[in-house]
Amino acid sequence: MKIVVFFSGTGTNLESILREQKNYDYEVIGAFTNNPNAKGIEICDKYETECKIIDHKDFNSREDFDKNISIFLDQINPDYIILAGYMRIISKSLVDDWEGQIINIHPSLLPKYPGLDTHKKALQAKDKMHGTTIHYVISELDAGPIIRQESFEIELNDTIESLTNKVKEIENKIYPETISNLI
Ligand code: GAR
């Protein structure tokens, strides 16, 4: 199974997916970022994985930007597009073209807290539990069918930073395994 990984920032999930491909049934055939300054680009270099960079700021509309992504995807033709901290909304036409083949990981127990600032929202709501969700991408934001969820108890001294780290630690473990089971 051939996958491409989309990211926008630090890339801890990208790294775990690249590192674990030797242990699982998938091959990373490329990566993509919208952020020319993303730390994940260095991770791609480390794993000798080609990373396509297209800066969304060079485009006036999401559709124009996504058309260029579409050309890139047609060139490498992956079985799955794995969003790993990819922070751009994907246009409906791109989602429709790759229906059922785009997977996202979102740092909350969906349907709670779609969108941004999930750790802050969980703390503000005084939630007892927090976690992460792997799901299929549909054109509605963070709303597609859920593939896997992992949760943990929020402790009294948890902060946005500690929740970010706890969630990422879980994500880094479960994302490669879940991708491998996608077929
Ligand atoms: C991850 O926690 C992921 O769930 C989240 O961004 C982080 C990326 O971390 N994704 C979203 O918020 C998508 N809406 P990473 O760059 O270290 O993998």
Side-chain angles (χ1 to χ4, degrees), residues 93-107:
S93 62
L94 190 55
V95 173
D96 288 348
D97 284 349
W98 293 87
E99 198 192 338
Q101 291 173 275
I102 312 179
I103 311 295
N104 184 38
I105 192 158
H106 182 77

Side-chain angles (χ1 to χ4, degrees), residues 73-114:
L73 289 173
D74 287 341
Q75 281 164 355
I76 62 168
N77 197 26
D79 295 307
Y80 284 98
I81 299 156
I82 305 296
L83 309 185
Y86 181 65
M87 302 307 281
R88 304 293 303 167
I89 291 172
I90 298 179
S91 59
K92 185 174 173 349
S93 62
L94 190 55
V95 173
D96 288 348
D97 284 349
W98 293 87
E99 198 192 338
Q101 291 173 275
I102 312 179
I103 311 295
N104 184 38
I105 192 158
H106 182 77
S108 78
L109 295 171
L110 290 173
K112 269 193 168 183
Y113 317 134

Side-chain angles (χ1 to χ4, degrees), residues 7-181:
F7 64 96
S8 298
T10 320
T12 64
N13 281 295
L14 166 77
E15 177 148 28
S16 71
I17 292 165
L18 284 166
R19 191 182 54 239
E20 292 302 317
Q21 63 185 328
K22 62 179 185 304
N23 299 320
Y24 287 115
D25 276 343
Y26 62 81
E27 181 195 350
V28 182
I29 58 166
F32 172 81
T33 186
N34 64 301
N35 175 8
N37 301 313
K39 272 191 163 182
I41 296 170
E42 287 164 32
I43 297 169
C44 292
D45 290 345
K46 180 174 154 195
Y47 287 86
E48 294 175 355
T49 297
E50 207 167 313
C51 180
K52 178 84 174 170
I53 305 168
I54 305 177
D55 189 344
H56 65 276
K57 295 197 192 99
D58 292 340
F59 297 84
N60 289 325
S61 73
R62 192 182 303 287
E63 282 66 31
D64 283 349
F65 172 61
D66 279 5
K67 259 181 213 150
N68 282 270
I69 296 179
S70 208
I71 292 166
F72 164 66
L73 289 173
D74 287 341
Q75 281 164 355
I76 62 168
N77 197 26
D79 295 307
Y80 284 98
I81 299 156
I82 305 296
L83 309 185
Y86 181 65
M87 302 307 281
R88 304 293 303 167
I89 291 172
I90 298 179
S91 59
K92 185 174 173 349
S93 62
L94 190 55
V95 173
D96 288 348
D97 284 349
W98 293 87
E99 198 192 338
Q101 291 173 275
I102 312 179
I103 311 295
N104 184 38
I105 192 158
H106 182 77
S108 78
L109 295 171
L110 290 173
K112 269 193 168 183
Y113 317 134
L116 299 173
D117 298 327
T118 58
H119 311 303
K120 187 174 166 189
K121 286 172 186 163
L123 287 174
Q124 279 174 347
K126 301 201 185 318
D127 285 351
K128 290 199 162 51
M129 304 295 290
H130 192 43
T132 187
T133 306
I134 298 170
H135 66 96
Y136 288 99
V137 171
I138 60 171
S139 52
E140 195 185 334
L141 183 67
D142 299 327
I146 290 173
I147 300 168
R148 181 165 177 181
Q149 249 174 354
E150 290 290 326
S151 60
F152 60 90
E153 260 179 53
I154 296 180
E155 290 170 43
L156 276 178
N157 59 354
D158 267 321
T159 59
I160 293 175
E161 197 189 3
S162 70
L163 289 184
T164 304
N165 293 334
K166 285 180 185 182
V167 165
K168 282 196 191 190
E169 197 178 321
I170 294 173
E171 292 182 334
N172 296 171
K173 280 199 193 108
I174 67 168
Y175 213 9
E177 186 186 311
T178 307
I179 292 164
S180 176
N181 290 332

